[in-house]
Amino acid sequence: MNYERKVDVMDSLAGSTQSYYEEADNRRKRTRLIVALVLIALALAATWYAFSSSKDGAAGAEGAAGGEGAAAVPSITVMVPGRQSVQTTISTNGTIAARREMPVGVAGEGGQVVRVLVEPGQWVGAGQPLAIIDRAVQSQQAAGLAASIRVAQADADLAQAELTRADALVSRGFISKADMDRKRATRDAANARVRVAQAQYAEAQARNGRLNIVAPAAGLVLTRGVEPGQIVGAGSGVLFRMARGGEMELLAQMAEADLQRVRVGTRATISPVGTNLEIAGQVWQVSPVINPDTRQGMVRIAVPYSAALRPGGFADARLVSGTEEAPLLPESAVQSGPEGNYVLIVDGKNTIQRRVVKVGTVTDDGVSIASGLAGNERVVVLAGAFLNVGDKVKPVVQKSSQ
């Protein structure tokens, strides 16, 4: 009995000790948790304080910088263009053609073509054969006429000899004057028949000479419309086309207003399509009439021969119609918008204003302004796309291009 009581007491003491230790362990855990929460709170407070301080400092610095930016204005390059002497040009285009085209056909009676001696693109001289026509029959006819000349000449020689002998016998009274007159008439008739035969032979030679198709003048062969074996005659039409001297021209249709500014002798620069060539030309004819349907007139520009010029081709032309006084600006100063071309100018209060202008001639030196500027304005040269009307700027004047 006592033993059991001791055991119970011992168990009670052991349970009390275990619960004590468990309670102590729980207190330590709660203490650690509280300390961790306090540390986290302190860390968050410190972070918030540091963030707030940096934000206030940045805001203050930004405010200071903003104050300085508001006080400063950008420097913009401007120029006062004035008015300069500018060549006025007119741009146009048209078709290339031979200035003096020569159609070549059959001049004689024609016949069968034996040979064709030239090809398009060849240069030929005046009178040079282009095609040979068979002349077998004509040659025989000419030979017969040549023989008739010799027959007539023999008769004339015989008549002259008889007249000479008769003249020696007149003084002796063997030949009457009537016989002398007849012999003299016979001699003259024989000489006349010789001249007739010679004329007929020359005519045949001339006809035979016209059988061949020859170049009427020196120039460039443009087209060929005949082949060997072809039968040609007076109704065969044009067999060859030539450009006399190789000279070309540009046929340009121009508006009525531009036509008033062009004169004979106006210089022009021709650029065939597809090339970078610039060929110097000159206006040699201005149309005296205007087409009532298109309100345009023809301007003919003479151009020297060039391998790049082909009749029927297309070309652009710039005509220098004179000079005028106008402001000259670099291309960077001229901008485009819905209302057309415009420039930005700086007014008396150093603010940006927009001015609509009409562009004139564009050259390597710049763009001339036909209207919209007087020349004494301060025009923005660069950075116009980054400026707005009403912006405050500090203009820096640049010397105008000359």
Side-chain angles (χ1 to χ4, degrees), residues 184-263:
R184 192 175 291 109
T186 301
R187 190 272 317 266
D188 293 342
N191 289 334
R193 285 192 293 272
V194 170
R195 290 192 291 272
V196 169
Q198 290 174 342
Q200 290 174 345
Y201 177 73
E203 179 185 358
Q205 289 289 89
R207 283 200 305 267
N208 292 347
R210 297 178 64 188
L211 284 175
N212 292 338
I213 302 171
V214 299
L220 178 68
V221 178
L222 300 178
T223 63
R224 161 184 163 174
V226 63
E227 297 297 334
Q230 183 175 341
I231 304 299
V232 297
S236 298
V238 177
L239 303 181
F240 297 92
R241 290 189 180 275
M242 295 178 52
R244 190 179 69 182
E247 296 178 345
M248 301 292 172
E249 67 177 355
L250 180 69
L251 305 176
Q253 294 282 350
M254 296 184 62
E256 184 177 2
D258 291 336
L259 206 64
Q260 300 296 333
R261 301 159 56 190
V262 179
R263 298 288 183 272

Side-chain angles (χ1 to χ4, degrees), residues 133-321:
I133 294 179
D134 178 61
R135 60 183 64 200
V137 175
Q138 290 84 351
S139 297
Q140 294 300 321
Q141 291 175 349
L145 291 173
S148 68
I149 294 176
R150 291 193 292 272
V151 171
Q153 185 65 52
D155 292 340
D157 293 342
L158 179 59
Q160 181 64 43
E162 289 180 351
L163 178 62
T164 302
R165 287 194 297 270
D167 187 52
L169 297 174
V170 169
S171 59
R172 300 179 185 180
F174 295 105
I175 301 293
S176 65
K177 291 184 177 180
D179 292 335
M180 285 297 297
D181 292 339
R182 283 193 293 271
K183 291 184 180 297
R184 192 175 291 109
T186 301
R187 190 272 317 266
D188 293 342
N191 289 334
R193 285 192 293 272
V194 170
R195 290 192 291 272
V196 169
Q198 290 174 342
Q200 290 174 345
Y201 177 73
E203 179 185 358
Q205 289 289 89
R207 283 200 305 267
N208 292 347
R210 297 178 64 188
L211 284 175
N212 292 338
I213 302 171
V214 299
L220 178 68
V221 178
L222 300 178
T223 63
R224 161 184 163 174
V226 63
E227 297 297 334
Q230 183 175 341
I231 304 299
V232 297
S236 298
V238 177
L239 303 181
F240 297 92
R241 290 189 180 275
M242 295 178 52
R244 190 179 69 182
E247 296 178 345
M248 301 292 172
E249 67 177 355
L250 180 69
L251 305 176
Q253 294 282 350
M254 296 184 62
E256 184 177 2
D258 291 336
L259 206 64
Q260 300 296 333
R261 301 159 56 190
V262 179
R263 298 288 183 272
V264 174
T266 298
R267 292 180 291 112
T269 302
I270 311 300
S271 297
V273 169
T275 69
N276 296 324
L277 294 177
E278 292 188 348
I279 305 173
Q282 190 176 43
V283 175
W284 73 275
Q285 187 180 91
V286 179
S287 175
V289 297
I290 300 294
N291 189 318
D293 297 327
T294 62
R295 310 307 306 172
Q296 292 183 332
M298 179 73 71
V299 172
R300 306 178 71 172
I301 305 171
V303 188
Y305 171 77
S306 172
L309 297 175
R310 294 177 173 85
F314 205 68
D316 297 322
R318 296 195 311 275
L319 285 75
V320 180
S321 60

Side-chain angles (χ1 to χ4, degrees), residues 16 22 86 90 114 193 213 234 260 267 274 287 309 318 330 336 350 367 369-370 373 388 395:
S16 300
E22 289 178 355
V86 181
I90 302 173
V114 178
R193 285 192 293 272
I213 302 171
Q260 300 296 333
R267 292 180 291 112
S287 175
L309 297 175
R318 296 195 311 275
S336 299
N350 290 341
V367 180
I369 305 301
L373 288 180
N388 297 314

Side-chain angles (χ1 to χ4, degrees), residues 57-140:
E62 185 177 355
E68 294 176 0
V73 294
S75 296
I76 299 298
T77 303
V78 300
M79 66 177 294
V80 180
R83 301 185 72 86
Q84 304 179 32
S85 179
V86 181
Q87 284 187 337
T88 58
T89 61
I90 302 173
S91 297
T92 184
N93 50 53
T95 304
I96 299 171
R99 182 178 178 184
R100 289 287 184 252
E101 185 175 291
M102 298 182 296
V104 182
V106 177
E109 63 187 40
Q112 185 178 25
V113 177
V114 178
R115 286 186 299 160
V116 179
L117 305 178
V118 296
E119 296 290 342
Q122 286 185 237
W123 290 87
V124 295
Q128 179 176 336
L130 306 179
I132 304 297
I133 294 179
D134 178 61
R135 60 183 64 200
V137 175
Q138 290 84 351
S139 297
Q140 294 300 321

